[in-house]
Amino acid sequence: MSHHKRRIAAVCAAGSLALTAALAVPASAAILTYTQLATSAAAGTNTRAVTTADLNGDGNQDVVAVNLDGNSVTVLLGNGDGTFATGTGYPVGTRPYQATVGDFNGDGHPDIATADFGGATVSVLLGNGDGSFASAGTLAVGAAPRSLATGDLNADGNTDLVVAEQETGLVRVLLGNGDGTFTTGTTAAVPTPHGVVVADFNGDGSPDVATASVGSGGVSVLLGDGTGGLATAVGYAGAGRLYSIAAGDFNGDGTLDLAAVSNGSDTLDVLLGNGDGTFGAATAYPAPALPVAVSAADLDGDGNTDILVSSLNGNSVTLFQGAAGGTVSQLTELTATGAYDAAATDLNGDGTKDIAVANSSANRVDIFTASAG
């Protein structure tokens, strides 16, 4: 894919081309279009989140769908063309809200962990390497765990988990033992966390943590010390009711930035990183009604991370382009009924990132394939 900025067009239909929206960007840029596939992948009741990985080692990207009211995850194995085999459901804890994938037992196979909002637990499903999973084990955490992320916080080579607990006002570190079990590590106070992301914000090689507050606490950043400890949170003002947070280099300066969405003000907040673990003030961009999730990926291959915003009442996934200089611009809006989350990855092997959307109203995953013109 060309490393020039691309024009992006949306092609949204239940099967084939219904609408193409060209964007006002340089004429020399290539065109990227998205087409919604006619066939969606059935999941469970109230599909709220999606995450992607190659779960069976066949080279194709697969999807884990999180079903809030189904108390389950659905594993969808990719066929390599944007479609999926019939999903397999796995019970987890009560009202799972989000999932993450990592190798928790060191066997080289992806495993799954979920934040079980209604049960004060984290569920862990160990993978067999063929796309199937063992029955979930559970870890007790604080009340209302909304989200979780992976990282090696104590540099022991094992994958750890960081959990955002909304009701306790804590982030909790679960240190991986390397065998699929975890030991509770440090906890740190942050205001009503709803979203969490783990990344190295100050370039010291140790993972750090950032959270988004569903109250009025804005964004909190906690720098890791490399031994599993976290520094006292530093807060950054933002819109109220921040629901989700993601990290990426949105301005191409080589340092990580943060993006969060507010379903109280219908905005996307972008905080540009300074490279030392501090961030500039949030810049707010309008988003469609009730944005509930944000994710990040370089969609157009220009080296800058782009942003995907899922809006429930807007029934859409809005794509924002990162650019040198730090100004984020809206690219296009994909019509996506019941959109509660979106993840970008190459689902059909053509080298461009497609988009998987959690359709919470239809209990399924909708797929938008990308093509470059």
Side-chain angles (χ1 to χ4, degrees):
M1 184 182 296
S2 171
H3 287 276
H4 298 291
K5 294 180 182 177
R6 297 176 182 264
R7 295 173 65 201
I8 293 188
V11 183
C12 306
S16 60
L17 184 119
L19 171 67
T20 302
L23 301 169
V25 291
S28 60
I31 296 175
L32 188 64
T33 60
Y34 286 94
T35 303
Q36 183 175 352
L37 295 187
T39 303
S40 298
T45 306
N46 198 354
T47 304
R48 287 289 185 98
V50 287
T51 190
T52 62
D54 182 2
L55 301 174
N56 59 354
D58 66 352
N60 299 325
Q61 287 290 294
D62 311 308
V63 171
V64 178
V66 181
N67 310 307
L68 183 77
D69 293 333
N71 299 326
S72 67
V73 296
T74 302
V75 172
L76 300 163
L77 298 180
N79 295 319
D81 60 0
T83 66
F84 298 85
T86 300
T88 301
Y90 294 88
V92 294
T94 304
R95 294 178 69 77
Y97 198 83
Q98 194 186 60
T100 189
V101 172
D103 182 5
F104 303 133
N105 60 354
D107 65 355
H109 305 316
D111 310 308
I112 299 170
T114 63
D116 305 326
F117 170 66
T121 58
V122 167
S123 295
V124 176
L125 303 91
L126 298 180
N128 298 314
D130 59 359
S132 67
F133 291 81
S135 298
T138 58
L139 306 168
V141 295
R146 282 285 192 176
S147 55
L148 75 175
T150 61
D152 183 3
L153 273 73
N154 59 353
D156 66 351
N158 300 325
T159 302
D160 309 314
L161 291 168
V162 178
V163 184
E165 299 173 2
Q166 180 182 330
E167 288 189 16
T168 63
L170 297 173
V171 289
R172 183 180 303 271
V173 176
L174 300 173
L175 296 173
N177 296 318
D179 59 0
T181 66
F182 294 82
T183 300
T184 297
T186 190
T187 58
V190 290
T192 53
H194 200 282
V196 66
V197 64
V198 174
D200 182 4
F201 299 128
N202 60 356
D204 67 352
S206 298
D208 309 307
V209 176
T211 63
S213 171
V214 74
S216 57
V219 169
S220 297
V221 176
L222 306 93
L223 298 181
D225 64 6
T227 68
L230 298 172
T232 301
V234 176
Y236 296 87
R241 289 192 61 79
L242 294 177
Y243 239 54
S244 178
I245 190 167
D249 183 4
F250 306 130
N251 60 352
D253 67 353
T255 62
L256 288 176
D257 312 308
L258 292 169
V261 288
S262 164
N263 66 16
S265 61
D266 293 342
T267 56
L268 164 70
D269 280 3
V270 175
L271 297 83
L272 298 179
N274 297 315
D276 59 358
T278 66
F279 292 81
T283 300
Y285 298 89
L290 204 69
V292 287
V294 62
S295 58
D298 183 2
L299 299 173
D300 54 10
D302 67 352
N304 301 317
T305 310
D306 307 307
I307 301 170
L308 301 84
V309 174
S310 301
S311 299
L312 181 60
N313 287 357
N315 290 303
S316 65
V317 174
T318 306
L319 310 182
F320 293 83
Q321 185 183 46
T327 300
V328 172
S329 58
Q330 182 174 323
L331 291 172
T332 194
E333 187 176 340
L334 306 177
T335 299
T337 303
Y340 217 99
D341 190 24
T345 191
D346 184 4
L347 294 169
N348 58 5
D350 67 353
T352 57
K353 288 185 173 68
D354 311 301
I355 299 174
V357 180
N359 184 332
S360 59
S361 60
N363 308 322
R364 70 191 192 202
V365 176
D366 294 330
I367 301 299
F368 295 79
T369 57
S371 59

